[in-house]
Amino acid sequence: MRLPAVMKTTAARLSALFLVLFALCAAVLVAYMSSLSVRMLTQQTQDTIMAEMQGLDSAYRRGGLPMLVRVVEVRSRQPGANLYLIADPNGRILSGNVESLEPGVLEIQGWTERPFAYRRYGESEAARRALRGEGEDAAAAPQEPNRHRALALVLRLPNQMILLVGRDLGEPEQFRDIVNRALVLAFGMMGVGAFLIWFLVGRRALKRIDAVSQASSRIMGGDLTGRLPVTGSGDEFDRLSENLNVMLSRIARLNDGLKQVSDNIAHDLKTPLTRLRNRAEAALAGKPKTAEYRAALEATIAESDQLIRTFNAILMISRLEAGYSAEQTAPVDLAAIVADVVELYEPAAEAVGVGLRAGAVAAATINANRELVGQALSNVVDNAIKYSAGSGGAPSVSVSLARKPEGLVLEVADNGPGIAPEDIERATERFVRLERSRSQPGSGLGLSLARAVMEFHGGRLELSPQNPGLSVRMIFPGDSRRHDEA
Amino acid sequence: MAAAPAAAIFAYRWAMKILVIEDDREAADYLRKALAEAGHNAHVAFDGEAGFSLAADGDYDVLVVDRMLPRRDGLSVIAELRARGVTTPVLILSALGEVDDRVTGLRAGGDDYLTKPYAFSELLARIEVLDRRTGAREVETVYRVGDLELDRLSHTVRRAGREIPLQPREFRLLEYLMRHAGQVVTRTMLLENVWDYHFDPQTNVIDVHVSRLRSKIEKGFGPPVLHTVRGAGYMLKAG
């Protein structure tokens, strides 16, 4: 079965769903209310009958059957909804204001369990006249206009005579009908209202979704700078759009990163690869001796190792920058990493005449990846040692860790020649090797990798010139909440 | 750094039976030849299923398993072998190099992890260290190489009966070298096992530590015991 087109919209479906739910609730409410009112009115009727019965009971006690009959005669003539009937043991009506009854009612002892039909005295002539025109047997028509419904209490007197006191249900039933009608009307109005509200709300939602869908079509069309509309109301549609916008930004960043990586690979790996090739070519040219072959091969291996290193570093930086690295974090003692790295590099530093020492180190445990932080710090320390070595005086590198307002600051300071202020920005870019460091070994990616590691941890890497030297500050956020969630 | 002399240095030693499960035929063939040159007996399987049945039936000393294999991936091969009670040491080879890739590999039942591309000397050194027949030293409390003696309980080092005071890290360095005496130990193996870091230190930091240790255990004593293996690493060996 095909739904009409309008039912294909989420708004219409939601409206229909809510209407059905609402109708169910309203129906339950109506049923409850009407059964409650019927019970209440029945109770009231029974109370009235009981009071009448007590009155008749006291008359019977005072003057026996004649007194009872007299009282019944008197009361029967009074206007009102009360019914009185006295019948002989065979059910023949002797006195009262009831002309005929549904058969079987007088056999009951006590309360009639359900309302019964009866005909009031003096009404049958009018009824017969009304029915004669239609030519139907009056007795066979159960719903004839002047038959009423009543509730009654039937008692047997000691002499087997039957006494019935009842009350017409016309009033309570009318009341119930009114309640029912009111409830049905109210329910109808509520249903229509619900439908209208939901249709309007749904239409609005639909329009917003359409806007988002159009915007995403445009973005898919190639305009990656496009963003989804945000109304500023802060509702769930805005949140959805905002999240999608964040996602788009990230995609754009990944895209840029990928482009940059391919550019870098193309541009910077070509040089060492060409060198590699030239070296092999040169070794083959002429008639080299075994020793020359060996030297060429050794150089080739060394160059390949360097290439692998560079390649690994590029991959690692891209993965970290993209933020989709699977690396896990755990509570890590930063002070222990400082001690490890200082201890690891100290002999190498000493060998090139640089004094490497750990300065003030605060105890600090943060959520981080020990390997990554260790590698970042070792890159920074390595860099500092290389830069300050041979700078004259007493070159030294000091590593310290302190809790500062901006976060946990891991600082590596050297007293080497430093970096010219105009080069500071470029120093952490990929592959940038400042002129004077071209002769140093390394991929030129050490600081870029350190920066990527810091950003992965929600922190940052800051380079600032000192007089003399350079200070590299690895700043971890004071509370690394980002990784508590991971 | 030259790989060429490595084979000559390794050749004198025991022959191991090694299974290489690697789908790149050229790489697998190169490994088989190079391992044979180093004096070992290597078999090759080109996919996960073949590798699994060979490893499950054959009596190998070490398995070299690539992570990404056709028909069945390397980690599942290892996990299944472990589940069947095969305890043959496994060296995982992988092009994936992140810290957590290594952790996943080791958790699956691998014993060591090497990222491609690698130097053959590094691979060989790691394979030989994995061989169970040389691993008995784990339980020894005193390591002896020639007249050099390291007591793991009292944390003392003696050579020719004379105590040599060592820094804690130097002690761990020597302990690792002595545990694998007679085997080539590479710089990255030292960084991993003595410092517990797995990154590439880029500089010769390990060399400087080793030469400091060397001067402590050799200066004023008999013949050198801590040898540099060109293009590979270090080896502690008497005589």
Side-chain angles (χ1 to χ4, degrees), chain A residues 21 29 48 59 82 87 101 121 130 156 158 165 191 208 265 272 296 304 336 347 418 424 426 442:
Chain A
L21 288 177
L29 189 71
T48 316
N82 289 352
L101 275 172
Y121 191 78
R156 294 232 162 201
V165 176
R208 307 247 332 244
I265 291 174
S304 317
I424 289 260
R426 291 174 55 236

Side-chain angles (χ1 to χ4, degrees), chain B residues 66-125:
Chain B
D66 189 35
R67 258 188 87 153
M68 283 182 262
L69 290 170
R71 295 184 67 197
R72 184 163 196 176
D73 108 290
L75 290 191
S76 109
V77 170
I78 298 166
E80 175 83 20
L81 284 173
R82 293 293 184 249
R84 294 209 184 175
V86 178
T87 56
T88 317
V90 173
L91 172 69
I92 302 172
L93 287 184
S94 172
L96 311 165
E98 285 197 53
V99 179
D100 283 340
D101 296 330
R102 196 186 64 241
V103 173
T104 328
L106 299 187
R107 208 170 279 155
D111 298 274
D112 199 359
Y113 193 99
L114 194 56
T115 308
K116 289 180 181 178
Y118 50 83
F120 178 71
S121 52
E122 183 76 38
L123 176 81
L124 187 59

Side-chain angles (χ1 to χ4, degrees), chain A residues 29-344:
Chain A
L29 189 71
V30 166
Y32 175 71
M33 287 293 286
S34 89
S35 90
L36 194 70
S37 58
V38 164
R39 258 213 315 271
M40 262 173 56
L41 287 166
T42 306
Q43 185 64 47
Q44 216 176 351
T45 308
Q46 286 179 342
D47 288 351
T48 316
I49 293 170
M50 211 56 182
E52 279 304 310
M53 192 57 105
Q54 269 161 11
L56 294 181
D57 182 49
S58 65
Y60 183 66
R61 277 186 208 173
R62 274 204 315 276
L65 190 58
M67 182 69 163
L68 178 65
V69 170
R70 210 160 47 242
V71 171
V72 164
E73 292 284 315
V74 170
R75 292 202 179 174
S76 291
R77 278 196 289 275
Q78 287 168 357
N82 289 352
L83 303 181
Y84 304 94
L85 181 148
I86 295 173
D88 69 9
N90 300 322
R92 206 153 49 86
I93 297 169
L94 301 178
S95 170
N97 57 2
V98 177
E99 187 187 322
S100 68
L101 275 172
E102 213 177 276
V105 171
L106 292 179
E107 268 98 86
I108 296 169
Q109 290 256 32
W111 289 107
T112 55
E113 274 165 16
R114 52 185 187 79
F116 58 91
Y118 76 98
R119 188 174 292 146
R120 235 184 157 105
Y121 191 78
E123 282 175 350
S124 54
E125 265 317 299
R128 263 186 221 107
R129 274 198 306 277
L131 282 168
R132 205 170 293 140
E134 293 159 36
E136 264 181 50
D137 184 5
Q143 295 301 319
E144 68 180 89
N146 284 319
R147 285 192 79 154
H148 303 284
R149 281 150 54 76
L151 208 59
L153 184 59
V154 184
L155 289 180
R156 294 232 162 201
L157 300 177
N159 57 1
Q160 294 303 303
M161 298 288 275
I162 300 166
L163 172 65
L164 177 146
V165 176
R167 198 169 162 82
D168 191 88
L169 285 178
E171 231 174 273
E173 283 188 344
Q174 259 172 16
F175 180 76
R176 196 180 66 178
D177 284 350
I178 289 168
V179 168
N180 279 0
R181 264 202 302 277
L183 283 173
V184 166
L185 190 69
F187 151 67
M189 275 161 57
M190 285 189 289
V192 169
F195 182 79
L196 281 178
I197 289 167
W198 269 100
F199 191 68
L200 292 177
V201 169
R203 292 256 309 183
R204 194 173 140 261
L206 192 70
K207 269 188 190 153
R208 307 247 332 244
I209 290 173
D210 266 348
V212 169
S213 150
Q214 274 164 22
S216 38
S217 299
R218 277 200 306 278
I219 294 164
M220 272 189 289
D223 175 22
L224 261 182
T225 56
R227 291 295 177 264
L228 301 176
V230 175
T231 60
S233 62
D235 61 4
E236 50 270 72
F237 283 104
D238 265 9
R239 286 204 299 277
L240 177 68
S241 294
E242 276 161 14
N243 280 342
L244 289 176
N245 285 342
V246 170
M247 191 174 86
L248 283 170
S249 305
R250 166 153 286 186
I251 291 173
R253 222 171 72 210
L254 288 181
N255 219 19
D256 289 349
L258 207 61
K259 196 169 160 295
Q260 210 188 335
V261 170
S262 40
D263 287 355
N264 286 339
I265 291 174
H267 183 260
D268 291 275
L269 291 186
K270 264 184 186 170
T271 317
L273 277 172
T274 310
R275 211 154 51 212
L276 201 65
R277 192 186 180 285
N278 291 347
R279 202 167 274 149
E281 211 169 24
L284 280 178
K287 283 190 179 143
K289 299 185 196 80
T290 315
E292 283 167 329
Y293 273 134
R294 161 148 290 166
L297 284 173
E298 282 177 7
T300 304
I301 288 173
E303 189 88 57
S304 317
D305 285 348
Q306 191 54 50
L307 267 172
I308 290 167
R309 227 173 249 155
T310 306
F311 192 68
N312 283 343
I314 295 174
L315 280 181
M316 195 158 183
I317 291 171
S318 325
R319 290 175 80 164
L320 286 171
E321 281 184 352
Y324 58 65
S325 165
E327 307 292 2
Q328 298 297 309
T329 57
V332 165
D333 182 4
L334 272 187
I337 296 182
V338 171
D340 281 349
V341 172
V342 168
E343 191 258 5
L344 181 63

Side-chain angles (χ1 to χ4, degrees), chain A residues 301-433:
Chain A
I301 288 173
E303 189 88 57
S304 317
D305 285 348
Q306 191 54 50
L307 267 172
I308 290 167
R309 227 173 249 155
T310 306
F311 192 68
N312 283 343
I314 295 174
L315 280 181
M316 195 158 183
I317 291 171
S318 325
R319 290 175 80 164
L320 286 171
E321 281 184 352
Y324 58 65
S325 165
E327 307 292 2
Q328 298 297 309
T329 57
V332 165
D333 182 4
L334 272 187
I337 296 182
V338 171
D340 281 349
V341 172
V342 168
E343 191 258 5
L344 181 63
Y345 276 85
E346 189 270 322
E350 195 197 81
V352 292
V354 176
L356 172 65
R357 59 185 176 77
V361 174
T365 298
I366 60 164
N367 259 322
N369 183 297
R370 177 176 170 271
E371 286 284 337
L372 291 177
V373 174
Q375 173 149 29
L377 180 60
S378 84
N379 284 358
V380 173
V381 167
D382 191 59
N383 208 57
I385 294 170
K386 277 177 191 160
Y387 270 83
S388 54
S391 65
S396 77
V397 173
S398 108
V399 186
S400 62
L401 175 64
R403 216 174 261 283
K404 300 236 169 95
E406 63 263 42
L408 269 172
V409 180
L410 182 47
E411 183 174 16
V412 178
D414 68 63
N415 61 356
I419 298 180
E422 63 269 24
D423 285 339
I424 289 260
E425 270 302 304
R426 291 174 55 236
T428 57
E429 278 170 30
R430 288 179 194 161
F431 290 96
V432 169
R433 302 184 65 189

